[in-house]
Amino acid sequence: QLQLVESGGGLVQPGGSLTLSCAASGSTLDYYGIGWFRQAPGKEREGVSCISSSGSSTNYADSVKGRFTISRDNAKNTFFLQMNSLNPEDTGVYYCVAEYLGVCPRRIGIQPFDSWGQGTRVTVSS
């Protein structure tokens, strides 16, 4: 029932910044934990970040700590991933995700996220 649509991907030079957005419809995000995954060519999907329903808990993959920031705006039923100091290893398709238990697991695996967007492509290249 919950639908997620990502936007904001594109081509950026190393060291640059992008902000991804995820718009939700069909249900409110108030009680959902939300997050972001990414998949580089030939690699498994990896969890990038998540934030709990209350916003009290956030987690980041080690590779993006200090560079990426996750946030949510429940009033607008939208959440974001601010990406700074991008490098070529950040290239991939980024997916926004949500789960109805409202959690943000320390290890960001595919479970328990059961709602997925279709992805937005990010390419970091000079």
Side-chain angles (χ1 to χ4, degrees):
Q1 187 173 34
L2 180 68
Q3 306 290 324
L4 303 175
V5 179
E6 306 93 338
S7 62
L11 175 65
V12 62
Q13 294 187 7
S17 298
L18 282 175
T19 299
L20 306 182
S21 299
C22 185
S25 61
S27 185
T28 62
L29 286 174
D30 295 34
Y31 301 107
Y32 284 79
I34 55 89
W36 295 88
F37 282 73
R38 68 185 181 186
Q39 186 169 25
K43 299 181 68 176
E44 297 289 324
R45 292 187 185 184
E46 64 172 338
V48 175
S49 183
C50 64
I51 184 169
S52 62
S53 59
S54 67
S56 62
S57 180
T58 59
N59 284 298
Y60 295 90
D62 288 342
S63 59
V64 307
K65 287 180 179 177
R67 300 188 298 120
F68 290 12
T69 303
I70 190 169
S71 62
R72 63 192 301 163
D73 187 342
N74 287 347
K76 293 182 171 61
N77 226 31
T78 305
F79 58 99
F80 309 93
L81 184 69
Q82 181 182 338
M83 306 185 294
N84 299 323
S85 301
L86 288 163
N87 58 61
E89 287 68 42
D90 297 314
T91 293
V93 178
Y94 284 69
Y95 301 86
C96 59
V97 298
E99 59 82 36
Y100 65 86
L101 295 178
V103 301
C104 174
R106 180 179 178 183
R107 181 176 179 176
I108 310 169
I110 293 176
Q111 298 293 338
F113 299 100
D114 53 10
S115 297
W116 289 70
Q118 292 300 117
T120 185
R121 187 176 299 276
V122 173
T123 302
V124 185
S125 177
S126 60

